[in-house]
Amino acid sequence: MSVSIIPEHKKLSFRYGEHRYDCALLKGQFSARKIVIKVHPDCRVVVAAPEDAELKDIQIALTKRGRWIYEQVREFRKLQEHALPRQYVSGESHHYLGKQYLLKVEEQPEATQIVKMTRGRLEVSVRQKSPEKIRALLDEWYKARAKETFAKRLTAMLEQALWVSERPSIRVLTMKTQWGSCSPKGLITLNPHLVKASRECIDYVILHELCHIAEHNHSERFYRLMGQVMPNWEKTKEKLDEMAFEIIS
């Protein structure tokens, strides 16, 4: 099982005035005891509801929150209109461990091509300025930092995961739809983009996968175990969901 960047869900839709919205319905997840509606920065409308919630009650909840959903989606779309694709030039903002750093690109024809962090900046030295080369260097830098960070956080999280008898192996692999996954044999795969999120978010994903070593599905026992080792995991997941669009792009 895995931690999805966009969780698997059922689909439903509703109308507010002339506007039609497609929604992701998550039932019985995250110990939901009431119907909760959230609009994400990428304009996804997500509804979390108890397993026994009836569809008519979910539709009523959406209708009652129609104006709020409309306003949230409108504001996020305005932000997207002004969000330019990354150009990989000096002055751009990039994330690392939950913080933002300004990118500084220096062209040095004779120097070693390298990325380093200094005084709140990510400095990239290249022989010739090229967005493709700068992106490749940054990707390599993030993967190297990810391997170091994930190994350290795994060590810390294993102190809580008392059910794990042997240290699992970690593989770092860029994935479009998942933050992490755990194979039936206990191999944990983590997305290097995750290193752009806070340590708390990294710990959440690692703990999620460690819980799958004990329970390889999203059962009630699985969520009970998650609650024991990370009582605030739902809020942490929300934080990760909210910044997913920004750190993956």
Side-chain angles (χ1 to χ4, degrees):
M1 299 297 289
S2 63
V3 181
S4 299
I5 294 174
I6 300 178
E8 295 181 4
H9 58 266
K10 296 179 180 178
K11 293 181 180 180
L12 72 159
S13 62
F14 82 103
R15 300 192 70 88
Y16 175 75
E18 298 178 353
H19 303 275
R20 179 180 179 274
Y21 297 97
D22 293 320
C23 308
L25 174 60
L26 305 174
K27 292 190 72 175
Q29 297 193 41
F30 323 133
S31 304
R33 296 179 181 176
K34 61 180 181 179
I35 298 171
V36 178
I37 302 169
K38 189 171 185 62
V39 180
H40 291 270
D42 60 358
C43 296
R44 285 182 296 123
V45 180
V46 179
V47 184
E51 188 66 49
D52 59 355
E54 294 188 12
L55 186 58
K56 65 177 183 179
D57 293 325
I58 296 172
Q59 291 284 3
I60 290 172
L62 284 166
T63 301
K64 287 182 177 179
R65 297 280 275 168
R67 182 170 181 80
W68 175 82
I69 293 169
Y70 163 75
E71 291 176 347
Q72 290 289 104
V73 170
R74 182 181 62 181
E75 289 304 311
F76 283 134
R77 282 178 177 164
K78 284 182 181 178
L79 290 174
Q80 287 183 5
E81 288 174 2
H82 294 90
L84 298 175
R86 291 195 184 278
Q87 302 294 315
Y88 294 93
V89 295
S90 294
E92 280 187 342
S93 177
H94 290 255
H95 290 79
Y96 176 63
L97 292 180
K99 297 181 180 179
Q100 289 183 298
Y101 294 84
L102 287 180
L103 179 65
K104 182 179 180 182
V105 180
E106 295 183 343
E107 188 175 44
Q108 299 179 355
E110 305 300 325
T112 301
Q113 300 190 114
I114 192 172
V115 178
K116 61 182 180 179
M117 181 176 289
T118 176
R119 296 187 297 277
R121 295 198 303 260
L122 272 175
E123 297 185 353
V124 182
S125 296
V126 289
R127 298 190 184 98
Q128 184 177 4
K129 288 185 179 180
S130 160
E132 293 77 14
K133 181 60 181 178
I134 295 166
R135 177 171 185 168
L137 286 170
L138 281 170
D139 285 347
E140 291 176 9
W141 184 86
Y142 275 120
K143 285 182 180 179
R145 299 290 80 75
K147 289 178 181 179
E148 294 176 5
T149 301
F150 297 162
K152 291 178 181 178
R153 299 318 302 162
L154 175 62
T155 298
M157 294 304 99
L158 283 171
E159 294 179 4
Q160 302 178 53
L162 301 180
W163 61 89
V164 180
S165 57
E166 296 183 8
R167 183 186 179 94
S169 298
I170 283 185
R171 176 178 60 165
V172 176
L173 178 68
T174 301
M175 298 176 282
K176 292 183 178 180
T177 61
Q178 296 176 339
W179 291 120
S181 66
C182 181
S183 74
K185 294 184 178 180
L187 171 65
I188 293 177
T189 302
L190 297 173
N191 194 326
H193 287 299
L194 182 61
V195 81
K196 301 174 186 179
S198 67
R199 286 185 178 88
E200 181 184 25
C201 292
I202 295 170
D203 290 351
Y204 154 67
V205 174
I206 291 176
L207 278 173
H208 185 111
E209 303 311 338
L210 289 175
C211 285
H212 277 313
I213 292 177
E215 191 70 19
H216 206 71
N217 55 62
H218 291 132
S219 64
E220 183 179 345
R221 181 168 176 256
F222 170 86
Y223 287 115
R224 186 164 60 246
L225 189 59
M226 274 297 300
Q228 291 171 358
V229 295
M230 193 177 207
N232 295 322
W233 71 267
E234 292 172 79
K235 292 183 178 179
T236 303
K237 182 188 182 303
E238 284 185 10
K239 292 179 183 177
L240 185 58
D241 287 345
E242 287 172 358
M243 69 182 308
F245 177 77
E246 192 170 358
I247 65 178
I248 290 293
S249 60

